[in-house]
Amino acid sequence: MEPNETGDDAAEDRTRYVHYDPTTGERPSEMLVVTVADIADADPLELEPLFETVEPDTLDDFVGTGGLPDVGGHMSFTYENYDVTVHSSGLLEIESAD
C-alpha cells in the first residue's frame, strides 16, 4: 500500500489518497488509523479510538472487499483533526481539518 500525496509543500495543505486493497488482510478501518498515525507522525495506539468517531464495522462493511466501483457514495467525518472521506470504491481521502 503506497499512499499518494498531492498538494503544495505545506504539510497541512496536503491531501493523502489511499486505496483499500482487500488482498492485504487489513481492514479498511485499520488502514485508516495507521494512515492517520503516519500523517500525524504518531503511534496508532496514541490516537483516540476510531469507534469514538465512527463505527469501525460500519466503515469496513461500507468498503467491503474493495468496494463496488459501479456504486457511488461516500461517508465523511473528522478523526484526529483530519477530514476523512471514505468512498464505497475503497478510496480514502485524508486532509488536515485546520
Side-chain angles (χ1 to χ4, degrees):
M1 162 183 71
E2 285 296 319
N4 296 319
E5 294 181 29
T6 62
D8 62 27
D9 291 335
E12 62 272 10
D13 293 334
R14 293 185 189 177
T15 300
R16 174 92 47 111
Y17 298 92
V18 183
H19 196 276
Y20 172 66
D21 179 0
T23 64
T24 64
E26 184 177 41
R27 295 170 31 153
S29 56
E30 294 169 348
M31 184 184 76
L32 171 63
V33 171
V34 168
T35 302
V36 168
D38 181 54
I39 295 168
D41 195 27
D43 185 305
L45 297 176
E46 294 174 355
L47 303 181
E48 71 179 56
L50 183 61
F51 68 80
E52 291 183 9
T53 301
V54 66
E55 175 58 44
D57 289 338
T58 300
L59 189 151
D60 295 340
D61 290 343
F62 181 71
V63 173
T65 58
L68 304 170
D70 296 335
V71 176
H74 66 274
M75 64 170 59
S76 297
F77 50 90
T78 300
Y79 175 63
E80 285 289 329
N81 208 31
Y82 291 92
D83 291 330
V84 178
T85 301
V86 179
H87 297 269
S88 60
S89 65
L91 176 68
L92 280 71
E93 298 178 49
I94 305 166
E95 65 182 311
S96 177
D98 292 335

